[in-house]
Structure formats: C-alpha cells, structure tokens
Amino acid sequence: ITSRIKKNYDFVAVGSSIGMLYLYCRRLSHMNKYSLEGKCDAITAVKLLSCFDDLVAVGTASGRVAVFQLVSPLPGRNKQLRRFDVVGLHKGSVTSLAFSTNGMKLFSGDDKGRVVFSALDLDQGVCKPELLLEEPSGVVQMEYSHQVLLVSTQQRSLLYSTQTQELQQLGTKPRKSSGRFGACFLPALCKQSDLQVFAARPGLRLWRSDIRGHVEDTRLLKPLFSTQIPQFDLFPRPVPVGAYRPADRQLGLLSCFLRDSWILSWNEYNIYVLDYLNEVIIGALESSGDIVSVSSCDNEIFVLKGDRDIIRLSSSPEGLASNCEYYCCSYYYQYQYQKYYCCPNIDLPANTLPLVSQKNLALIYRWVSRYVWCLDFKGGLFCSTLPETGLNWQRFEDNVHQVAVSPSGNLLWKVEQKTMTAFACAKVSVKGKRHWYKAVDQTAFVALSDDSAWIIRTNGDLFLQTGLSVDRPCARSVKVESPCVFSQVCVRGGVVWALSEHKALFYREGLNSYCSEGEGWKYDTVSEAQGLELMCVALGDGGTAWALDASGSLWFRTGVCSSRPQGDDDHWWQVSISDYVVFDQGSLFQTLLQATQSVATVTRAPVERVVAFLSQYSQCQPSLVSANASGVWVASGRNQLHLARGSLVGTFWQNVVPRGTVSSTRWTFITSSSVTHREGTFLWLAQSRKDLFCVWDQDGELRPSSVLLPPEFYWSLLALMVFLCVLCLPVGIVRLVSVSCGSQNVWAVDHRGVVYFRVGTQPLNPSMMLPAWIHIEPPVQPIGVQLVSIQTSPNDRLLWALDNRGTVFVRTGLSDEMPVGTDWEQVPGTLFCQLVLSCRTVWVRCVTGDLARRYGISDKNPAGDYWKKIPGNANWFTVTPEDKLWAVTLIGGLSRRLTKLLPHTPIRPPPSGPTLSGDDEDEWELI
C-alpha cells in the first residue's frame, strides 16, 4: 500500500496477490484497476509519485517491475495510459521501490540483494534499466534524495552516491543479527550535506548519521518501552483472536512522519510513532499481527493487513481532508492534545474494490418493478429504470428528506428537508411535469400501500390516510394509537409492521379489506428472543419480511400475511450478502457519520453541524433494504447497492443441549466422522483431554455415549500412536501435530511441517505387509513458516493444508492413479485458523471466528474460484460429509446450522457467473 496527497488529488494504491493494481482517487471516489499482462504475479511492492504526471511503480514476486504513467489533466501532458517494464534483472521478489523527485529515476530492490536503477524518459517513452548494486542479503528498504540512494538490507545500511558512484556503509561493521531493520532520510531543504539518516538497530536502538555514514548519535529506546505504551485503539474493530506478540519488541522499517522529530516504525506485528528529540512514544499499535504494509502521507497513516483490511490513523476524521469513502468513527485517543482518529476495517474484496460515484449514495430509497428510487444526504432524489444491464440515474427532485413509493408505483410521496412537510404525487413519470399536493405537516416518516399511507409525525404521533388512488394521492389523516414512539413503518399486502425508536418490533393485527386501520398492535417476541437490534425493516412480495440489524446483517422471515402478520417462523433467518459487509463496524449512527463527513466536504459545512441536523430527526431511520418482484435490494454505508435476483439461503444457528447435559456445559472440541452411518454421521465432542462423547446427528435428543478413558488406557492409546509412528514413519520418532483420515488414506503433518501420506487404513496385521508412510515435500515457504494442519475429504478427493501464518494450500493432481497428488498451490484469501472438508468443498474459520466456504471446487479446479462468508461465528466447528455444519460457540455452547431456501423468480435472468449447487443458490450483484 502507498499513498500520496497533492493539491486537488488524493490517491491510495494497493497491490494484490493476483497481480492487480488498484488506484483509488479519494476526491472523486473513483477506483481504477491496472493489470500486468501475462502470468498473474503477486504484487509485493508499490510506490506512488505525483510530479508533472502521476506515476505508479509496482514490483512482483517474480522480480518484474512495471511503471504506469497515468493520464494527466494538465494541457500538453500525457493523455493515455502508458506502461514501462523492467524484466530480467531481478532474481527474487521485489521488496522496495524509490523514485527521484522528478520521476526520471526509479530504484528497485529485491530479496536477493539486487538493486536495479531504471532511467525513465517520459517524453520519449523510454526506460533503460541497469544493475546498480548486488548485496549478499535481501533489500529491506530504500529512499532516494539529493542524488544519494539509501539502501537498508538484512545485514547493513548503505549510502550510494549516483553522482560519484561511491558506496559508504553506515557505521564501521554490519549488524550482528540480521533482520528487517530499515533506514530513512531526515529531509533537507537545499543541500546534500544537510541530509541526516536514521537507521533502526537491534535491541530498540536508533542511529543518526550524516551523509558520509558517520554515526553521530545512538539513542537507546528500550527504557521507553519498559513503561505503559499509549495504544492507538481501533474502535469498534474487534481484537484479533490469538494475536501473536513477539517476546522482544524491535524496530522495523522507518519513515519520517508529520514532524521533523517524529519517526514511524513498523514490522509485521507492531507500529510505533516515536518523538526522537523528546524521547517519548507518541502512540503504538501492538500485537496487531500480519501487517503487510504501512504508508504515511502528511497526517495520515494507512495500514494494510493480510486479511485485506485497511486501517487509517490520522489527526483528523476522514472526510474533512478528502471525500474518501473510508469508514471513520468518532472514538479517538488523545495524547498531548493530539487526537488520533482510528478507522476500523475496510474490507478489500478478493478481486476488486467496487466504489460508486457520490450521487449514488443510496441510504434512503424505495422502488417498484420498473424504477428504483435513491436519496442522498444532500437531499437529491434520483430515479433509474431497471434496464437489462446497469442503472442510469436521473435527478428527480431536490430538497428531499424522505421518499415513499407504493408497490404498484402509482403513488409517490416526498418529505421536504427544510419544512418537513409531506407532499403527494400521482401518475409518476421520470420526465415531464408533475404536480405535488400538500399532504401532511411536520412529517418524519411515510409508508405507502396501494391505497393507504401510514405517517409518523415529528412529535411521534401516528396517522393513517385511506382510500388513496391515482386520482386521489392524499386524503384526510386519522390518528392511530401506538404503544410507543415509532421510528419506521412498513406496509404491504394487508400487513403493517412498525419499529420503535428503541428498536422494538410491532405488527398490526386485524387488518382486512373492510378495516384498513386494524384492531391493535402486538409486540414481536421473535426478535427479542434472538437478541437482534433491528435498524430497519421492510415487507416484500411472497409474504417475506426483511430486516437489517445494527451490525449490518440481513435477515428474513416467511409466511407473513394479513391473517398471520407475524409470519410462520419462530426465528429470523440470516442471509449472507456475498463477501461484502453492509456496515464494516458498529451501529447505523456510524454509517450516518461517515456519509455526513462526505457531505460536509462538498458543502464546506462543519461535520458537527451536519451530525446535529441528523440528530434532530434521529427517530426517522433510513430504509436500507426492500424487496419486490425485481429482487432484494440492500444499500450499504459504503456508497453501494447490492441486488439479489435469484433464490436465497437463510441460516439459523440452533443451540442444542445433548440429553443428560446442561445448557451451561462448556464444550471445547467437535469433529465429525468421515464415514456416514445409518443416513447420518457420528459426532465426537470433548470437554477436556480425557472426556470424550459420541452422538448420532440423526438422534433427535442427541443422547451422548460417554467414552471415559482411565489413565492407564489413555497412556496405552498414546503409546500405541507413538508405536505406529516409530514403526511406520521413515524418519524415526516424530511428533505429529495434525492427522486426517479419508476413506482409504491417511495424511499427517509433524512438528517440523513435514507431510506424510499413508497407503491403507487397515489395522496392523503381523501376517501382512505393514502399511507404508510416504514422505511428501511440503510447499516451499520462508524460514519460520511451516504447515500446522492438514485435512483430507472423506472421499479422498480433496486435500488442503494450513500453515502457521494462516495461509491455505491445496494439493493438486489427486486421482485414483496418483493418490499423493503432484503439487501444492497457494489459495488466496484472508487469514484462517481452521479448515474442514466435506466430500465436495472446503469450509474455513477466520481468525475473527467468522466462517467461510470455498466455491467452484471441482476435479478440474481443485482450488476453486472464491471465498464467501456465511453467517455464523465460532470457536471451533466441523462439517459432515453432507455439508452439515456443527460448531462450538464463542461461549462454549453447541449449535448446528439450519438452512432455509427462499425461492425467488426474477423479472429477468441473473447475469452469468459461477454456477452454484445444492443449497447455495444465492447470488448478489453489486450495482
């Protein structure tokens, strides 16, 4: 990740593991994608430069370097995208890139110690690379200033003069211990002789040297770390599960940040901001784990995590400095009157970062089969027809606070921003003149059926207008008693639901064709029983009700009709919205805050004023979800619309208590038998190392069979396992850390990450030849990284493995003729801590406890196509051969996943995409 801010522009560049470069213009809220032609090569280094033209340099894992010259808006400058390639000179993965100020020089370093200099002639379109240096250890960091190249390697730091070709080492000796210790320049305004160098040293030491490499000062920073270190709290980002913290703190890569005496240092685990002169730690982000890259610009720090999250740390909230759609919360850490605002996760999808333009900030909308209506926070009402592909937005009205449309599309109401007066319109057309009739004063919210309007006034009173039609779009209002103040009402098909300002859900009983008002309100106990904090609700076609909760999860219930307005289900079913999270973190208020900051940037109004305006009408909750014959639509707080046109799968995690146990029982482990039994599967559960239970998943009462192991039997079993290892493993006594059994074969991983394959699963028989263990080479990985888990499918068709960094690998070439396979292939995605296999696919648990599934797996494509999160969170889980999930919850309870298919016939066929099978019919489009 790299960032650069200049006048009128604000860029963030991110390189991906599939060879794609994403360049996001924060001012325009626009994302560009650039690819390297040929082999999909992981991008390992990115560098941005804004000079006469905007340049982006990337380096890859195979040693390829490319420079993109972007289109310039300046007259006489570059008007088409150009690319320069540097190939053949690097022999390893590119680790660092450095530009000269004018962009005519590019330096690239790799993990083999090579430094390549490329002379760029942008006017002539020529790039001339040459090998500049070759060190015995890998390049860690580089900077270039005043004709001097600063190179920090795993063993030492160097100064190379491009004018005299002189090479000078910092200090008199290389470091005693190698590592990723960086170095940076303290910028000088005019002369080369004014340059100073900061270099990180082992043991929390910091060198300051002159441009000749003479060390002028050594600062021992260890005492600063012996006291409590102020942390940059990421609120409300959850704490990573099992975050690793090294035994010894160390400095890492260095860069100057914000002030002359402030230094930013980071490594894989920690980030520190230090005041060099005053010898204080300004702030830190420790034990974060899996930090891939850090970039700073002006008063901002961007952190790229291995799970594709981006964290922003800054002295001001996002939105005041730019119009970026990044998510900024109001929580801050204060140190010496300096506020650090922390941005929670920004999820980077596996293949793209879809962002849409500002006018599509759809936080309040309604639609019918022919139109979709969209309202932004500036009061602009937009409308688009539903074409075969894409949406074409047209501005419909201004100064709109809320909009409501009847299911047939014959009635349209709006509430004005300034007066909060509701107006009604009939015979709606996108183009042409329209007449608005004044309907109600002081209106906070409106919901329309085809012949009625339910109105919430600004004082909390509820009113109803009936007998509405195309020729009579509004009528006299009649007050309806309500048990509390409502924030939202929805109506469809003779059913009325209402959400209170305290997030309690009510439904209206007794509605029919003779009584539009109904008889009374009934409290919905289903939502309370599940502990859902609903933020908005909607009624769709086919008797389906939809809701979004405060965490951004989407839910539905079925069987909702006028005779049974609460529906048939005794719980909500959760739906996965592809890989996207509707709200990255926290509550709806934070989503509103993010949007208002973008508004404040455009209108040049203080953020506090915009938030205060919304607070006046906090009882009016935006409608972010709705459904009809066109599909299910969801508006996210990140300027996006999600549309599901096909069938959807709902998930409900049912808490279960095996017979003879109590609900407070805390389970630690669950696994499934790989062989089915009587149309079911045996499940093995544990509370400790010695307490083992077995249940049959088809037993309605889940009666457990206790397997109590005496100490002598337990140790005999352990001895038997050691005996098998000693006799059968070719390398002698080893300690196995993972074993997985299929129907015919056994796979194992030892404590060194070595993989073993066993032919045959029959017990030992002295009269027969012993089953054989075969040593299989593990994937090639860096030092210190090794496999820790291996899993085979019950039918021996799939084999996947997990290393100690959370990276996943798949074994390719598995067949009956070649049961050991042919090669390992790394599978891209976020970090995982557990994987389980059914007969046809792979399920994983993320470090946060979230669950996901791999789609597109086949005999010809063993790695599959993509990961997709499923609703649920667990401490441990297992899958049966038939893809039934069981889990140990975060508090140690036992639960199983139930699913419900919600059929839906779209008004047009969904776009082509990956073919899903079984209970996985749901497919979302990003609009």
Side-chain angles (χ1 to χ4, degrees), residues 371-609:
Y371 298 105
V372 55
W373 302 83
C374 191
L375 183 64
D376 68 16
F377 266 92
K378 293 185 294 183
L381 178 60
F382 298 86
C383 181
S384 173
T385 57
L386 293 175
E388 290 299 312
T389 58
L391 296 174
N392 182 22
W393 296 105
Q394 299 182 43
R395 198 173 193 93
F396 191 82
E397 289 282 332
D398 293 312
N399 187 33
V400 180
H401 175 73
Q402 194 235 333
V403 63
V405 184
S406 64
S408 65
N410 292 328
L411 301 178
L412 174 67
W413 281 40
K414 71 173 182 177
V415 179
E416 284 191 344
Q417 268 187 343
K418 296 179 180 179
T419 64
M420 300 303 289
T421 302
F423 294 87
C425 177
K427 299 180 180 179
V428 180
S429 63
V430 178
K431 297 181 179 180
K433 295 183 179 180
R434 47 192 171 270
H435 181 74
W436 292 99
Y437 299 89
K438 184 177 179 180
V440 186
D441 290 322
Q442 297 301 307
T443 304
F445 193 90
V446 176
L448 295 177
S449 71
D450 286 333
D451 60 359
S452 65
W454 291 80
I455 305 143
I456 303 174
R457 302 289 294 274
T458 54
N459 62 359
D461 291 340
L462 180 66
F463 286 84
L464 172 64
Q465 292 187 9
T466 59
L468 306 185
S469 64
V470 173
D471 299 322
R472 189 172 181 255
C474 57
R476 184 175 64 89
S477 300
V478 177
K479 187 175 181 179
V480 179
E481 295 298 325
S482 57
C484 56
V485 176
F486 290 147
S487 64
Q488 184 192 349
V489 178
C490 55
V491 55
R492 183 184 290 263
V495 178
V496 177
W497 280 22
L499 197 63
S500 78
E501 61 180 354
H502 298 297
K503 311 302 179 290
L505 182 63
F506 295 82
Y507 54 88
R508 191 77 173 168
E509 292 185 315
L511 269 75
N512 53 54
S513 58
Y514 304 101
C515 183
S516 300
E517 180 180 339
E519 299 174 355
W521 294 101
K522 191 72 176 291
Y523 177 62
D524 178 57
T525 58
V526 172
S527 303
E528 182 184 38
Q530 276 185 263
L532 298 182
E533 185 182 359
L534 301 182
M535 302 305 297
C536 57
V537 292
L539 296 171
D541 290 344
T544 305
W546 298 88
L548 280 173
D549 65 13
S551 65
S553 300
L554 178 64
W555 307 80
F556 73 80
R557 277 158 63 179
T558 60
V560 178
C561 59
S562 58
S563 60
R564 189 175 173 80
Q566 72 272 30
D568 296 331
D569 299 316
D570 59 357
H571 59 263
W572 288 92
W573 299 89
Q574 187 177 354
V575 175
S576 173
I577 308 178
S578 187
D579 191 36
Y580 305 101
V581 181
V582 179
F583 309 128
D584 285 334
Q585 299 286 339
S587 66
L588 180 64
F589 174 76
Q590 292 168 329
T591 301
L592 299 180
L593 177 62
Q594 172 209 3
T596 58
Q597 288 162 349
S598 296
V599 175
T601 302
V602 176
T603 61
R604 303 186 185 277
V607 173
E608 292 78 7
R609 187 185 308 169

Side-chain angles (χ1 to χ4, degrees), residues 576 578-579 851-853 855 866-870 922 924:
S576 173
S578 187
D579 191 36
L851 306 180
R853 178 180 175 174
Y855 285 83
Y866 59 94
W867 294 106
K868 180 179 175 183
K869 289 183 179 179
I870 65 168
D922 51 314
W924 290 84

Side-chain angles (χ1 to χ4, degrees), residues 6 24 51 103 108 274 292 423 495 511 519 537 568 659 663 713 719 764 864 885:
K6 68 174 186 177
Y24 178 54
C51 50
S108 53
L274 310 169
V292 175
F423 294 87
V495 178
L511 269 75
E519 299 174 355
V537 292
D568 296 331
R659 184 175 180 178
S663 59
F713 184 80
L764 296 177
L885 294 183

Side-chain angles (χ1 to χ4, degrees), residues 688-924:
S688 64
R689 286 185 70 189
K690 298 183 181 180
D691 296 328
L692 187 64
F693 300 88
C694 181
V695 298
W696 182 43
D697 66 350
Q698 299 301 304
D699 180 4
E701 296 184 342
L702 291 180
R703 289 165 292 193
S705 299
S706 179
V707 183
L708 299 179
L709 302 177
E712 61 273 14
F713 184 80
Y714 174 79
W715 290 112
S716 297
L717 179 62
L718 180 60
L720 177 60
M721 293 177 62
V722 174
F723 174 73
L724 291 175
C725 293
V726 172
L727 286 182
C728 302
L729 290 179
V731 294
I733 299 177
V734 298
R735 178 166 57 88
L736 298 181
V737 296
S738 177
V739 178
S740 181
C741 300
S743 59
Q744 299 295 327
N745 306 317
V746 180
W747 292 83
V749 172
D750 69 12
H751 66 287
R752 303 165 301 173
V754 178
V755 179
Y756 301 94
F757 168 78
R758 174 172 169 169
V759 180
T761 59
Q762 299 301 318
L764 296 177
N765 189 334
S767 64
M768 299 176 62
M769 182 180 296
L770 292 177
W773 285 96
I774 300 175
H775 177 200
I776 306 296
E777 286 293 332
V780 178
Q781 294 173 287
I783 297 176
V785 181
Q786 63 185 42
L787 298 183
V788 294
S789 176
I790 196 165
Q791 294 290 323
T792 182
S793 62
N795 57 5
D796 297 307
R797 295 292 184 183
L798 306 173
L799 182 71
W800 288 56
L802 184 72
D803 67 18
N804 56 357
R805 295 187 61 179
T807 306
V808 171
F809 296 86
V810 61
R811 188 70 175 173
T812 59
L814 291 176
S815 64
D816 294 335
E817 295 77 18
M818 183 64 69
V820 297
T822 57
D823 199 3
W824 294 100
E825 179 181 334
Q826 182 175 339
V827 181
T830 187
L831 297 183
F832 305 120
C833 55
Q834 185 193 357
L835 60 88
V836 294
L837 275 66
S838 65
C839 286
R840 64 181 180 136
T841 192
V842 177
W843 305 76
V844 291
R845 179 168 57 93
C846 307
V847 294
T848 59
D850 294 334
L851 306 180
R853 178 180 175 174
R854 190 71 177 176
Y855 285 83
I857 294 177
S858 64
D859 291 340
K860 295 182 179 180
N861 184 23
D865 296 321
Y866 59 94
W867 294 106
K868 180 179 175 183
K869 289 183 179 179
I870 65 168
N873 201 278
N875 263 351
W876 194 266
F877 81 117
T878 190
V879 63
T880 69
E882 297 83 15
D883 283 304
K884 304 299 181 183
L885 294 183
W886 292 72
V888 175
T889 66
L890 298 179
I891 60 174
L894 185 64
S895 63
R896 61 182 166 191
R897 181 189 184 225
L898 304 179
T899 59
K900 184 170 188 175
L901 181 64
L902 185 65
H904 178 73
T905 303
I907 59 177
R908 66 175 176 85
S912 59
T915 301
L916 307 181
S917 59
D919 63 346
D920 302 296
E921 304 293 334
D922 51 314
E923 182 176 329
W924 290 84

Side-chain angles (χ1 to χ4, degrees), residues 17-84:
S17 59
I18 58 172
M20 296 294 295
L21 170 67
Y22 299 98
L23 184 65
Y24 178 54
C25 179
R26 299 161 70 189
R27 182 181 67 89
L28 301 176
S29 298
H30 180 70
M31 175 69 70
N32 282 325
K33 297 189 299 181
Y34 307 97
S35 64
L36 300 176
E37 296 176 359
K39 182 181 178 182
C40 288
D41 197 5
I43 294 178
T44 54
V46 184
K47 193 68 176 180
L48 258 172
L49 178 68
S50 295
C51 50
F52 294 107
D53 292 304
D54 294 315
L55 304 177
V56 187
V58 298
T60 71
S62 65
R64 185 177 178 182
V65 175
V67 181
F68 293 92
Q69 183 183 8
L70 308 182
V71 175
S72 174
L74 299 177
R77 300 305 302 172
N78 186 45
K79 296 304 177 185
Q80 64 180 6
L81 179 70
R82 292 197 294 179
R83 193 184 74 207
F84 305 88

Side-chain angles (χ1 to χ4, degrees), residues 139-260:
V139 175
V140 172
Q141 187 177 6
M142 294 191 305
E143 284 194 7
Y144 181 77
S145 181
H146 289 73
Q147 296 183 323
V148 177
L149 178 66
L150 173 61
V151 181
S152 185
T153 72
Q154 293 274 354
Q155 295 180 353
R156 63 175 183 168
S157 296
L158 309 166
L159 292 166
Y160 179 80
S161 173
T162 57
Q163 187 177 19
T164 64
Q165 287 78 49
E166 294 180 350
L167 185 65
Q168 180 64 51
Q169 175 180 283
L170 262 68
T172 58
K173 297 180 181 179
R175 292 189 294 266
K176 294 182 179 179
S177 58
S178 61
R180 288 175 54 83
F181 297 102
C184 67
F185 285 120
L186 179 65
L189 295 178
C190 300
K191 296 185 298 182
Q192 182 187 96
S193 59
D194 294 335
L195 280 175
Q196 296 186 75
V197 179
F198 289 114
R201 303 289 293 177
L204 295 174
R205 291 181 298 152
L206 190 66
W207 272 358
R208 180 174 59 86
S209 77
D210 60 17
I211 199 61
R212 297 179 299 276
H214 299 152
V215 178
E216 298 178 342
D217 185 22
T218 299
R219 291 296 173 96
L220 304 178
L221 305 178
K222 204 165 188 177
L224 303 182
F225 291 83
S226 60
T227 59
Q228 184 175 1
I229 298 176
Q231 299 289 321
F232 297 130
D233 294 330
L234 299 186
F235 179 82
R237 177 185 173 92
V239 177
V241 177
Y244 173 72
R245 178 173 176 176
D248 296 325
R249 294 186 176 102
Q250 295 287 355
L251 298 179
L253 275 64
L254 301 182
S255 63
C256 291
F257 172 66
L258 194 59
R259 300 181 183 178
D260 290 342

